[in-house]
Amino acid sequence: MNGTLVVFQRELSGLFRAPFTWIVLLIVLVLNGLIFNGFLIGTGGNISDALDASMTGPLFWIWIVFLPALLAMRLVAEESRSGTLEYLLTAPVSDFAVVLGKFAAATAFLAILWTSSLLYAGATAVIGGNPDWPAVLGTWMGTIFVSALFVAIGMLASTFTATPLLAAFLSMVACIAWLAVPLLAGQVFSYLIPLIAKTEEARNAWATTVRDIASNMDAFGHFQRSFRLGLLDTAELVFFVTWTALFLFLTARSLEARRWRG
Amino acid sequence: MIEVSELTRRYGTLTAVDDLSFTVERGEVVGFLGPNGAGKTTTMRILSGYLPATRAKRLMVAGHDVLRDSMGVRRSIGYLPESVPLYPELRVDEMMRFQGKLHRMDRAELKGRIDTVLDRVGVLDRKKQLVGTLSRGLKQRVGLAVALLPNPDVLILDEPTSGLDPIQRGEVRRLISELSAEHTVLLSSHILAEIESMAPRVVIIHEGAKVADGDQASILTALGGGQGGHVAVEIASPLEASKISELMASLPGVSGVETGERLGIHQSFRVMGEGDLREDIGALAMTQSWALRELSWNRPTLEELFTRLVSGTLGTEHVAAAREAGAAPTAPAAAPAPAQSSGLSIEPVGQGGGSAKPLPLGTPGTAQPKTIYSLNPFDRGASRDLSKPVSVDAPAPVDLSPNSDGPEEDQEQRP
């Protein structure tokens, strides 16, 4: 636990020393602010719509593909390239503490980023608006859970290569696939199922199975169904936590495998 | 303090370390010597807990088992990899504090300790400087300070002087010599002059296997004592050269005399034999009233010996005999006396390493294949190991002619 905390502190402070971080902060805050403002004016003062657009609009899903990938690339691939990973992995902390500390730092950074929307909600409340607080807080928490999942995916990708940009690219592809595959699965399988199943019942059974699997992996759907509505559903929490934990576990294993490869 | 027994490490089909065994006692400074790719870094990485061993009978560092108690080992060693990994965005004291926290050092204790250690390595005035802006030599010192901070029992330093200019090298060398008073030090280098000046004991490895182990004097005696040493003599005398050579050959301990060329009235000789024959020859010259112009004892340096060992030009029968002596130190007079007295073990190069005859250093195609991490098929660097930063030291070309003075870097080393 101590090791995790030490690594977390260093990673987070390291992030805020890099110019990259401040550029990202600037771009994200300016664009989110513009969207919030635009929607507020465009909808004639509908605070809920404006907050929704700035927190979970299409822009958020673009950020969520790019930002964790870029952060995770710094965490493992770049350290591996500069040799500091060797330092960390020979320090008296376990691999898992290192992975957890780095993961927590990147997630905390994204959480700070998404907090800007809470400020917008607060500001509108101060000037007499009435934001839907449960939905706002739920959405904020949801964005953090989604970020955590994608950071974990990015870290796993980052352990596969010592070329930072390649790591970022791999991670983006994985994130896009993660988001798109559940949506596309139904379509793809509508062509494949008739080839496997001959009877009508079998076809229906297959379609149900595929739909179930796809919807169970659908991060977007899980987010929309619960957090966005201000609903804290344990099933949805378990979905995000288990997938994140799985990817973190795989990251630690992959780091260990690197040791074996040399 | 360090005990390595039958350590083997493979990367796929490539054997990087092959059945290596050695021990380092408390307070000892041991130099790990070998050409690039000999397995020095791999061995050190295994000892530091960075890489697992493929097979090992026993691996103990500072009283902890490397295979079972990796955390215990990591807590009691200071490991400085060749690349000197430091976070460039941190200041020197922040880097030190990070190391202290990783080692769970007490906050109050840490404060004083940082200053002590930085002062020790001579970078106290750079405490607030960003690590990324330090020069290579200063970075090396800071790296050493980071390794020293938790006051480890064992220091493992991988090529601590690589990439430094001669002045910085001298400074780092002096620093390590000072440290040897308090710590057990295992350091590696492919530059012999470094090892000669820092470590009393040398372990020479080549292609992952141990070639020689012992203090420098015993390696010298065992391998070069009878073979390479000679006394160069230049004499002016009315006598015939053959007569002079006969007289000198009659001295006790002389095994042979070669007559060299004649320069004016002076005739040169090479007197082969055991030990330092200068006094005897000098006394002979006095009794015969010869005019002596030169009398010098030329012993092969460790450098020459090292080059010969790894390039396989050292007499195989000599190595085999010396190895026997090392394997059974109590064996009766069968083995040559010098090797027996040193308790030195020498193993022939390339045995068990796969190749029947060792290729000389620098032979094209002998570079070891490296593991590839890059998944990018367009990466031109796909043939190099991307997990390691590129070394600043280009592998020095080695002159292979047997009567050369040794690798070029030696000359660069001693300007």
Side-chain angles (χ1 to χ4, degrees):
Chain A
M1 208 51 229
N2 166 66
T4 308
L5 202 66
V6 175
V7 173
F8 168 74
Q9 284 170 353
R10 203 220 69 77
E11 289 296 341
L12 199 59
S13 76
L15 268 176
F16 281 103
R17 284 158 202 262
F20 158 82
T21 315
W22 294 100
I23 294 168
V24 165
L25 269 172
L26 178 77
I27 295 174
V28 172
L29 292 184
V30 165
L31 286 182
N32 266 4
L34 281 177
I35 284 181
F36 176 71
N37 211 32
F39 266 76
L40 205 58
I41 293 165
T43 57
N46 188 334
I47 297 166
S48 292
D49 271 8
L51 278 173
D52 202 44
S54 81
M55 289 176 98
T56 67
L59 197 62
F60 169 75
W61 294 99
I62 293 172
W63 291 138
I64 210 69
V65 167
F66 281 94
L67 293 183
L70 291 174
L71 287 169
M73 149 190 116
R74 283 178 48 94
L75 296 178
V76 186
E78 206 158 293
E79 286 221 12
S80 164
R81 194 191 195 114
S82 71
T84 42
L85 198 64
E86 184 171 355
Y87 166 75
L88 266 188
L89 295 183
T90 53
V93 283
S94 67
D95 288 10
F96 201 72
V98 171
V99 169
L100 214 58
K102 285 172 172 292
F103 159 78
T107 309
F109 174 73
L110 289 174
I112 292 169
L113 213 53
W114 309 139
T115 309
S116 62
S117 301
L118 288 186
L119 293 181
Y120 302 156
T124 49
V126 166
I127 58 167
N130 187 22
D132 181 3
W133 279 108
V136 169
L137 287 174
T139 309
W140 177 69
M141 280 182 68
T143 53
I144 294 172
F145 276 103
V146 176
S147 309
L149 173 63
F150 280 40
V151 167
I153 295 176
M155 280 182 75
L156 180 61
S158 187
T159 58
F160 292 149
T161 167
T163 316
L165 271 176
L166 185 59
F169 180 72
L170 272 179
S171 150
M172 282 178 210
V173 170
C175 290
I176 291 171
W178 188 261
L179 285 175
V181 164
L183 303 175
L184 295 175
Q187 306 246 313
V188 172
F189 276 89
S190 66
Y191 294 103
L192 289 178
I193 288 167
L195 300 177
I196 313 163
K198 295 298 170 210
T199 64
E200 185 72 25
E201 293 87 62
R203 231 170 284 164
N204 282 339
W206 270 100
T208 319
T209 318
V210 168
R211 221 177 300 122
D212 278 356
I213 293 172
S215 77
N216 274 323
M217 287 184 62
D218 182 7
F220 183 72
H222 280 266
F223 175 76
Q224 297 286 351
R225 276 200 298 278
S226 61
F227 295 113
R228 195 172 169 211
L229 309 173
L231 248 169
L232 278 188
D233 187 342
T234 40
E236 315 297 353
L237 279 178
V238 167
F239 168 83
F240 283 105
V241 171
T242 44
W243 278 111
T244 309
L246 175 74
F247 282 116
L248 287 180
F249 172 75
L250 289 177
T251 306
R253 293 276 108 176
S254 171
L255 268 186
E256 199 180 322
R258 282 180 77 111
R259 291 178 187 245
W260 281 103
R261 284 186 310 220
Chain B
M1 269 286 134
I2 301 177
E3 195 184 338
V4 176
S5 175
E6 295 175 23
L7 170 67
T8 299
R9 164 76 204 205
R10 293 201 188 90
Y11 296 109
T13 53
L14 174 85
T15 306
V17 179
D18 190 11
D19 220 13
L20 182 70
S21 302
F22 65 92
T23 52
V24 180
E25 299 300 328
R26 179 179 281 276
E28 222 179 347
V29 180
V30 173
F32 225 15
L33 187 64
N36 289 327
K40 304 183 297 278
T41 299
T42 302
T43 309
M44 291 185 142
R45 283 182 165 174
I46 291 170
L47 289 177
S48 66
Y50 180 58
L51 295 180
T54 304
R55 195 180 62 235
K57 196 173 166 197
R58 201 169 146 82
L59 270 185
M60 301 288 286
V61 174
H64 301 276
D65 191 325
V66 178
L67 305 174
R68 290 189 187 82
D69 184 14
S70 177
M71 284 300 148
V73 171
R74 296 189 204 178
R75 243 173 260 130
S76 47
I77 63 165
Y79 170 52
L80 181 61
E82 187 188 352
S83 58
V84 194
L86 300 168
Y87 290 100
E89 73 267 21
L90 295 185
R91 291 177 197 285
V92 171
D93 60 335
E94 289 168 335
M95 183 71 217
M96 298 289 279
R97 220 169 300 134
F98 179 51
Q99 165 81 344
K101 282 190 202 158
L102 282 177
H103 280 261
R104 299 178 180 220
M105 288 173 75
D106 189 59
R107 198 175 269 268
E109 178 202 343
L110 187 58
K111 219 169 173 225
R113 178 78 188 151
I114 287 176
D115 283 0
T116 317
V117 172
L118 286 180
D119 190 32
R120 179 103 207 240
V121 300
V123 286
L124 190 56
D125 51 333
R126 309 285 180 144
K127 200 172 153 185
K128 291 285 169 200
Q129 196 174 334
L130 280 175
V131 169
T133 63
L134 293 172
S135 71
R136 184 79 173 79
L138 286 171
K139 230 177 243 176
Q140 193 81 37
R141 283 152 175 264
V142 173
L144 209 54
V146 168
L148 274 173
L149 185 72
N151 201 12
D153 293 334
V154 178
L155 272 178
I156 298 180
L157 311 173
D158 194 1
E159 307 252 355
T161 51
S162 86
L164 300 184
D165 69 37
I167 298 164
Q168 293 169 328
R169 269 186 205 167
E171 286 169 355
V172 170
R173 227 181 293 164
R174 214 168 307 126
L175 195 60
I176 290 169
S177 306
E178 282 170 30
L179 291 174
S180 61
E182 295 156 41
H183 308 269
T184 306
V185 185
L186 177 67
L187 58 97
S188 78
S189 178
H190 59 270
I191 301 167
L192 232 133
E194 307 280 333
I195 296 278
E196 282 185 311
S197 62
M198 287 187 289
R201 195 180 131 205
V202 182
V203 175
I204 302 180
I205 65 169
H206 179 53
E207 288 180 350
K210 187 163 78 173
V211 183
D213 178 1
D215 61 58
Q216 295 176 17
S218 65
I219 291 186
L220 277 174
T221 359
L223 291 172
Q227 214 185 28
H230 68 266
V231 178
V233 188
E234 250 184 70
I235 289 168
S237 159
L239 283 177
E240 294 261 323
S242 58
K243 185 76 185 138
I244 300 174
S245 116
E246 214 172 278
L247 272 168
M248 284 194 291
S250 66
L251 286 172
V254 173
S255 59
V257 179
E258 270 177 32
T259 310
E261 55 186 304
R262 194 178 176 93
L263 291 162
I265 58 162
H266 292 98
Q267 173 70 42
S268 70
F269 299 92
R270 284 158 70 97
V271 182
M272 263 69 73
E274 227 161 80
D276 190 354
L277 298 163
R278 283 175 298 185
E279 270 183 52
D280 298 347
I281 297 170
L284 179 71
M286 267 172 71
T287 57
Q288 301 290 324
S289 315
W290 295 336
L292 253 181
R293 190 162 78 156
E294 189 193 345
L295 186 59
S296 57
W297 188 21
N298 297 325
R299 279 172 300 174
T301 59
L302 200 49
E303 183 90 51
E304 286 167 23
L305 221 57
F306 171 60
T307 315
R308 275 194 275 157
L309 262 178
V310 295
S311 61
T313 53
L314 195 77
T316 42
E317 71 290 341
H318 200 91
V319 171
R323 183 170 65 124
E324 265 173 43
T330 51
Q340 197 187 4
S341 62
S342 65
L344 163 88
S345 66
I346 293 147
E347 281 137 47
V349 175
Q351 280 210 351
S355 59
K357 194 189 177 301
L359 291 164
L361 273 180
T363 308
T366 52
Q368 305 203 358
K370 299 279 185 174
T371 323
I372 298 163
Y373 285 121
S374 172
L375 298 176
N376 179 0
F378 305 109
D379 190 350
R380 284 196 309 120
S383 59
R384 71 186 158 83
D385 182 354
L386 291 168
S387 71
K388 288 175 203 150
V390 180
S391 170
V392 202
D393 267 356
V398 175
D399 194 344
L400 287 169
S401 54
N403 41 9
S404 80
D405 289 337
E408 281 175 22
E409 54 187 42
D410 179 39
Q411 279 139 30
E412 168 210 318
Q413 183 53 36
R414 300 173 193 158

